[in-house]
Amino acid sequence: MIFGDKLSDHTYIVSYLCNTSNVDDLDWNPPKISVVQVFAAITACSHIHMYKYISREDCYYTNTDSAILGSPLPKETKLLV
């Protein structure tokens, strides 16, 4: 493990380096939470946050962190930056 930070009571962010050069293939157990699950969680959270914007009739395209709309958002819209 390179580093780990506690984000909340049940959530951690961890960075690790995978080094299997000194371990036989049969002895190595990869982590149960992999990058695929992390990316899926990030995408799901972004869709939840952006739902009120991406569900508009004038929403033409969405991505994890952006949306293409046919008209501007109201000035009182609070966005995460």
Side-chain angles (χ1 to χ4, degrees), residues 42-56 59 61-69 73 78-80:
I42 291 169
T43 303
C45 288
S46 70
H47 283 143
I48 290 168
H49 175 74
M50 293 179 60
Y51 180 75
K52 59 185 162 191
Y53 311 115
I54 64 178
S55 62
R56 294 170 35 150
C59 181
Y61 173 79
T62 63
N63 203 332
T64 306
D65 62 351
S66 60
I68 305 295
L69 305 174
L73 294 173
K78 185 176 184 181
L79 298 176
L80 297 175

Side-chain angles (χ1 to χ4, degrees), residues 27-45:
D27 293 333
W28 185 70
N29 293 322
K32 301 217 182 301
I33 297 178
S34 70
V35 175
V36 174
Q37 287 93 341
V38 173
F39 287 146
I42 291 169
T43 303
C45 288

Side-chain angles (χ1 to χ4, degrees), residues 13-28:
I13 186 166
V14 178
S15 176
Y16 61 90
L17 179 64
C18 181
N19 182 0
T20 60
S21 62
N22 297 327
V23 179
D24 292 334
D25 287 343
L26 298 175
D27 293 333
W28 185 70

